Structure formats: structure tokens, C-alpha cells
């Protein structure tokens, strides 16, 4: 095994989102450094099982309106009265 090619393995303190902490060994930072977590197993839905469904700014509804999706339709179909989408001319300004 080659010498002096491996990163330094040392003790650090990991601080969870609720303020609790534990000591572990890592190659992150320097000896005695403190790593503060933004997301951890105590708060992330993948570990807590609490599902958060957030529709920011009506994005889901805008998507459904744009593509004409309703709950009784299959994927890729449009309602019978749907107008074909207009493609803007090259260099045309976008509508806001």
C-alpha cells in the first residue's frame, strides 16, 4: 500500500438539526471540527414516514392545465375540445 496518499482520518462532532450531537471519525474537515446538518434522519420524510406534499405556486395545477390532464384520462391523451398548442415564432417574446 502506498504511503501518504490516503486522507487524514480523525474525530469530528456531528450536530443534528435538533441540537443533539455525537462524535464519529471522518475524513471531512480537520480534527475536532463540528459538522452541522441541515437534514438528518430525525427530520427527513424518507426516515420519518411523514409525507409532505407541497405545491409551490400552483405548479401542479399549471402543468395539468397546460397539458389538459384530468383524473379520468390516461397518460398522453388530451380532452376532445383541446386546441393545438401554438408554437411561438423564433425570437418572439414570451407571454407572462
Amino acid at each position: 500500500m502506498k504511503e501518504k496518499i490516503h486522507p487524514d482520518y480523525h474525530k469530528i462532532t456531528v450536530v443534528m438539526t435538533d441540537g443533539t450531537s455525537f462524535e464519529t471519525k471522518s475524513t471531512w474537515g480537520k480534527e475536532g471540527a463540528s459538522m452541522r446538518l441541515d437534514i438528518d434522519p430525525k427530520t427527513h420524510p424518507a426516515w420519518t414516514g411523514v409525507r409532505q406534499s407541497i405545491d409551490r405556486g400552483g405548479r401542479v395545477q399549471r402543468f395539468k392545465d397546460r397539458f389538459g390532464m384530468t383524473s379520468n384520462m390516461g397518460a398522453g391523451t388530451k380532452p376532445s375540445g383541446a386546441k393545438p398548442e401554438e408554437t411561438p415564432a423564433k425570437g418572439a417574446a414570451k407571454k407572462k
Side-chain angles (χ1 to χ4, degrees), residues 45-77:
W47 290 285
T48 62
V50 177
R51 186 172 177 200
Q52 297 174 346
S53 179
I54 300 173
D55 181 16
R56 298 174 188 213
R59 290 182 183 182
V60 173
Q61 189 58 47
R62 284 195 315 244
F63 179 85
K64 287 180 180 180
D65 292 344
R66 181 175 178 188
F67 294 105
M69 296 182 164
T70 60
S71 60
N72 62 352
M73 297 175 57
T77 60

Side-chain angles (χ1 to χ4, degrees), residues 16-18 37-48 50 52:
M16 308 286 264
T17 55
D18 65 354
L37 300 179
D38 294 331
I39 299 173
D40 63 21
K42 294 180 181 182
T43 59
H44 195 276
W47 290 285
T48 62
V50 177
Q52 297 174 346

Side-chain angles (χ1 to χ4, degrees), residues 10-30:
H10 49 270
K11 288 186 179 182
I12 65 165
T13 303
V14 178
V15 182
M16 308 286 264
T17 55
D18 65 354
T20 59
S21 63
F22 64 92
E23 198 170 88
T24 188
K25 286 189 151 192
S26 175
T27 58
W28 180 86
K30 297 185 185 230

